[in-house]
mmCIF file of all heavy atoms in Angstrom:
data_model
loop_
_atom_site.group_PDB
_atom_site.id
_atom_site.type_symbol
_atom_site.label_atom_id
_atom_site.label_comp_id
_atom_site.label_asym_id
_atom_site.label_seq_id
_atom_site.Cartn_x
_atom_site.Cartn_y
_atom_site.Cartn_z
ATOM 1 N N LEU M 306 -95.371 47.143 50.632
ATOM 2 C CA LEU M 306 -95.893 45.776 50.680
ATOM 3 C C LEU M 306 -95.433 44.947 49.485
ATOM 4 O O LEU M 306 -96.080 43.966 49.121
ATOM 5 C CB LEU M 306 -97.422 45.802 50.757
ATOM 6 C CG LEU M 306 -98.013 46.506 51.983
ATOM 7 C CD1 LEU M 306 -99.540 46.508 51.937
ATOM 8 C CD2 LEU M 306 -97.527 45.860 53.270
ATOM 9 N N ARG M 307 -94.316 45.325 48.888
ATOM 10 C CA ARG M 307 -93.772 44.572 47.755
ATOM 11 C C ARG M 307 -92.467 43.898 48.159
ATOM 12 O O ARG M 307 -91.739 44.375 49.030
ATOM 13 C CB ARG M 307 -93.534 45.497 46.565
ATOM 14 C CG ARG M 307 -94.794 46.208 46.061
ATOM 15 C CD ARG M 307 -95.850 45.245 45.566
ATOM 16 N NE ARG M 307 -97.031 45.929 45.064
ATOM 17 C CZ ARG M 307 -97.207 46.239 43.772
ATOM 18 N NH1 ARG M 307 -96.258 45.908 42.884
ATOM 19 N NH2 ARG M 307 -98.288 46.876 43.389
ATOM 20 N N SER M 308 -92.169 42.797 47.500
ATOM 21 C CA SER M 308 -90.952 42.044 47.793
ATOM 22 C C SER M 308 -89.769 42.606 47.015
ATOM 23 O O SER M 308 -89.930 43.443 46.112
ATOM 24 C CB SER M 308 -91.150 40.573 47.432
ATOM 25 O OG SER M 308 -91.242 40.430 46.016
ATOM 26 N N GLY M 309 -88.576 42.104 47.339
ATOM 27 C CA GLY M 309 -87.378 42.526 46.623
ATOM 28 C C GLY M 309 -87.452 42.208 45.142
ATOM 29 O O GLY M 309 -86.908 42.951 44.312
ATOM 30 N N ARG M 310 -88.136 41.121 44.774
ATOM 31 C CA ARG M 310 -88.267 40.747 43.364
ATOM 32 C C ARG M 310 -89.031 41.782 42.560
ATOM 33 O O ARG M 310 -88.834 41.912 41.351
ATOM 34 C CB ARG M 310 -88.949 39.383 43.249
ATOM 35 C CG ARG M 310 -89.185 38.919 41.803
ATOM 36 C CD ARG M 310 -89.700 37.511 41.751
ATOM 37 N NE ARG M 310 -88.657 36.567 42.138
ATOM 38 C CZ ARG M 310 -87.714 36.128 41.321
ATOM 39 N NH1 ARG M 310 -87.656 36.563 40.068
ATOM 40 N NH2 ARG M 310 -86.815 35.268 41.744
ATOM 41 N N GLU M 311 -89.878 42.537 43.219
ATOM 42 C CA GLU M 311 -90.731 43.503 42.511
ATOM 43 C C GLU M 311 -90.141 44.905 42.428
ATOM 44 O O GLU M 311 -90.734 45.787 41.798
ATOM 45 C CB GLU M 311 -92.107 43.556 43.200
ATOM 46 C CG GLU M 311 -92.851 42.237 43.195
ATOM 47 C CD GLU M 311 -94.116 42.277 44.039
ATOM 48 O OE1 GLU M 311 -93.993 42.163 45.273
ATOM 49 O OE2 GLU M 311 -95.211 42.443 43.462
ATOM 50 N N LEU M 312 -88.980 45.128 43.049
ATOM 51 C CA LEU M 312 -88.435 46.480 43.109
ATOM 52 C C LEU M 312 -88.141 47.056 41.729
ATOM 53 O O LEU M 312 -88.489 48.197 41.433
ATOM 54 C CB LEU M 312 -87.157 46.499 43.953
ATOM 55 C CG LEU M 312 -87.314 46.469 45.473
ATOM 56 C CD1 LEU M 312 -85.952 46.647 46.137
ATOM 57 C CD2 LEU M 312 -88.271 47.551 45.944
ATOM 58 N N ALA M 313 -87.458 46.283 40.887
ATOM 59 C CA ALA M 313 -87.066 46.807 39.572
ATOM 60 C C ALA M 313 -88.292 47.181 38.742
ATOM 61 O O ALA M 313 -88.280 48.179 38.011
ATOM 62 C CB ALA M 313 -86.208 45.787 38.833
ATOM 63 N N GLY M 314 -89.369 46.386 38.862
ATOM 64 C CA GLY M 314 -90.589 46.705 38.138
ATOM 65 C C GLY M 314 -91.239 47.971 38.641
ATOM 66 O O GLY M 314 -91.734 48.792 37.841
ATOM 67 N N LEU M 315 -91.249 48.174 39.962
ATOM 68 C CA LEU M 315 -91.811 49.392 40.525
ATOM 69 C C LEU M 315 -91.035 50.623 40.064
ATOM 70 O O LEU M 315 -91.621 51.655 39.701
ATOM 71 C CB LEU M 315 -91.783 49.318 42.055
ATOM 72 C CG LEU M 315 -92.747 48.350 42.739
ATOM 73 C CD1 LEU M 315 -92.489 48.334 44.239
ATOM 74 C CD2 LEU M 315 -94.190 48.735 42.451
ATOM 75 N N VAL M 316 -89.698 50.516 40.081
ATOM 76 C CA VAL M 316 -88.870 51.635 39.648
ATOM 77 C C VAL M 316 -89.071 51.898 38.158
ATOM 78 O O VAL M 316 -89.115 53.053 37.711
ATOM 79 C CB VAL M 316 -87.391 51.362 39.971
ATOM 80 C CG1 VAL M 316 -86.483 52.411 39.335
ATOM 81 C CG2 VAL M 316 -87.177 51.342 41.481
ATOM 82 N N GLN M 317 -89.228 50.840 37.360
ATOM 83 C CA GLN M 317 -89.453 51.016 35.927
ATOM 84 C C GLN M 317 -90.774 51.742 35.673
ATOM 85 O O GLN M 317 -90.843 52.658 34.835
ATOM 86 C CB GLN M 317 -89.472 49.657 35.236
ATOM 87 C CG GLN M 317 -89.735 49.753 33.737
ATOM 88 C CD GLN M 317 -89.640 48.392 33.070
ATOM 89 O OE1 GLN M 317 -88.648 48.074 32.439
ATOM 90 N NE2 GLN M 317 -90.683 47.587 33.220
ATOM 91 N N ASP M 318 -91.828 51.369 36.393
ATOM 92 C CA ASP M 318 -93.119 52.054 36.243
ATOM 93 C C ASP M 318 -92.993 53.534 36.597
ATOM 94 O O ASP M 318 -93.510 54.403 35.878
ATOM 95 C CB ASP M 318 -94.171 51.401 37.146
ATOM 96 C CG ASP M 318 -94.578 50.012 36.675
ATOM 97 O OD1 ASP M 318 -94.275 49.677 35.510
ATOM 98 O OD2 ASP M 318 -95.179 49.269 37.484
ATOM 99 N N ALA M 319 -92.301 53.821 37.695
ATOM 100 C CA ALA M 319 -92.113 55.218 38.094
ATOM 101 C C ALA M 319 -91.301 55.973 37.050
ATOM 102 O O ALA M 319 -91.597 57.127 36.715
ATOM 103 C CB ALA M 319 -91.429 55.278 39.456
ATOM 104 N N GLY M 320 -90.263 55.330 36.526
ATOM 105 C CA GLY M 320 -89.432 55.972 35.514
ATOM 106 C C GLY M 320 -90.210 56.338 34.266
ATOM 107 O O GLY M 320 -90.030 57.424 33.696
ATOM 108 N N ARG M 321 -91.071 55.464 33.812
ATOM 109 C CA ARG M 321 -91.881 55.760 32.623
ATOM 110 C C ARG M 321 -92.823 56.928 32.871
ATOM 111 O O ARG M 321 -93.041 57.754 31.987
ATOM 112 C CB ARG M 321 -92.646 54.509 32.215
ATOM 113 C CG ARG M 321 -91.752 53.457 31.573
ATOM 114 C CD ARG M 321 -92.471 52.156 31.317
ATOM 115 N NE ARG M 321 -91.608 51.213 30.596
ATOM 116 C CZ ARG M 321 -91.880 49.922 30.425
ATOM 117 N NH1 ARG M 321 -93.004 49.409 30.925
ATOM 118 N NH2 ARG M 321 -91.040 49.144 29.758
ATOM 119 N N ARG M 322 -93.374 57.010 34.062
ATOM 120 C CA ARG M 322 -94.247 58.146 34.392
ATOM 121 C C ARG M 322 -93.464 59.449 34.475
ATOM 122 O O ARG M 322 -94.029 60.537 34.313
ATOM 123 C CB ARG M 322 -94.956 57.884 35.717
ATOM 124 C CG ARG M 322 -95.984 56.761 35.666
ATOM 125 C CD ARG M 322 -96.516 56.440 37.044
ATOM 126 N NE ARG M 322 -97.220 57.579 37.634
ATOM 127 C CZ ARG M 322 -97.617 57.638 38.915
ATOM 128 N NH1 ARG M 322 -97.335 56.623 39.725
ATOM 129 N NH2 ARG M 322 -98.262 58.704 39.365
ATOM 130 N N MET M 323 -92.148 59.346 34.691
ATOM 131 C CA MET M 323 -91.311 60.547 34.772
ATOM 132 C C MET M 323 -90.727 60.941 33.422
ATOM 133 O O MET M 323 -90.040 61.945 33.318
ATOM 134 C CB MET M 323 -90.173 60.298 35.775
ATOM 135 C CG MET M 323 -90.650 60.149 37.204
ATOM 136 S SD MET M 323 -89.342 59.589 38.349
ATOM 137 C CE MET M 323 -88.276 61.028 38.382
ATOM 138 N N GLY M 324 -90.976 60.135 32.391
ATOM 139 C CA GLY M 324 -90.526 60.498 31.056
ATOM 140 C C GLY M 324 -89.439 59.621 30.469
ATOM 141 O O GLY M 324 -88.943 59.906 29.365
ATOM 142 N N PHE M 325 -89.054 58.542 31.156
ATOM 143 C CA PHE M 325 -88.039 57.639 30.626
ATOM 144 C C PHE M 325 -88.674 56.528 29.796
ATOM 145 O O PHE M 325 -89.779 56.061 30.096
ATOM 146 C CB PHE M 325 -87.221 57.019 31.769
ATOM 147 C CG PHE M 325 -86.429 58.021 32.558
ATOM 148 C CD1 PHE M 325 -86.837 58.426 33.816
ATOM 149 C CD2 PHE M 325 -85.274 58.587 32.023
ATOM 150 C CE1 PHE M 325 -86.122 59.357 34.539
ATOM 151 C CE2 PHE M 325 -84.538 59.519 32.736
ATOM 152 C CZ PHE M 325 -84.969 59.908 34.003
ATOM 153 N N ARG M 326 -87.966 56.088 28.799
ATOM 154 C CA ARG M 326 -88.431 54.963 27.992
ATOM 155 C C ARG M 326 -88.331 53.672 28.794
ATOM 156 O O ARG M 326 -89.186 52.793 28.689
ATOM 157 C CB ARG M 326 -87.601 54.856 26.712
ATOM 158 C CG ARG M 326 -87.979 53.684 25.814
ATOM 159 C CD ARG M 326 -87.032 53.607 24.628
ATOM 160 N NE ARG M 326 -87.182 54.772 23.765
ATOM 161 C CZ ARG M 326 -86.259 55.189 22.898
ATOM 162 N NH1 ARG M 326 -85.102 54.542 22.819
ATOM 163 N NH2 ARG M 326 -86.481 56.237 22.137
ATOM 164 N N GLY M 327 -87.256 53.555 29.568
ATOM 165 C CA GLY M 327 -87.082 52.352 30.373
ATOM 166 C C GLY M 327 -86.014 52.552 31.427
ATOM 167 O O GLY M 327 -85.226 53.511 31.391
ATOM 168 N N THR M 328 -85.980 51.651 32.391
ATOM 169 C CA THR M 328 -84.963 51.662 33.446
ATOM 170 C C THR M 328 -84.540 50.225 33.740
ATOM 171 O O THR M 328 -85.259 49.280 33.409
ATOM 172 C CB THR M 328 -85.476 52.295 34.761
ATOM 173 O OG1 THR M 328 -86.483 51.439 35.326
ATOM 174 C CG2 THR M 328 -86.034 53.681 34.526
ATOM 175 N N ALA M 329 -83.387 50.072 34.370
ATOM 176 C CA ALA M 329 -82.934 48.773 34.872
ATOM 177 C C ALA M 329 -82.049 49.022 36.077
ATOM 178 O O ALA M 329 -81.219 49.937 36.078
ATOM 179 C CB ALA M 329 -82.178 47.997 33.794
#
Side-chain angles (χ1 to χ4, degrees):
L306 299 178
R307 300 298 181 94
S308 69
R310 178 173 290 278
E311 299 172 281
L312 282 186
L315 289 175
V316 171
Q317 179 176 258
D318 290 345
R321 287 173 175 168
R322 292 173 63 190
M323 293 171 69
F325 296 104
R326 178 184 295 159
T328 68

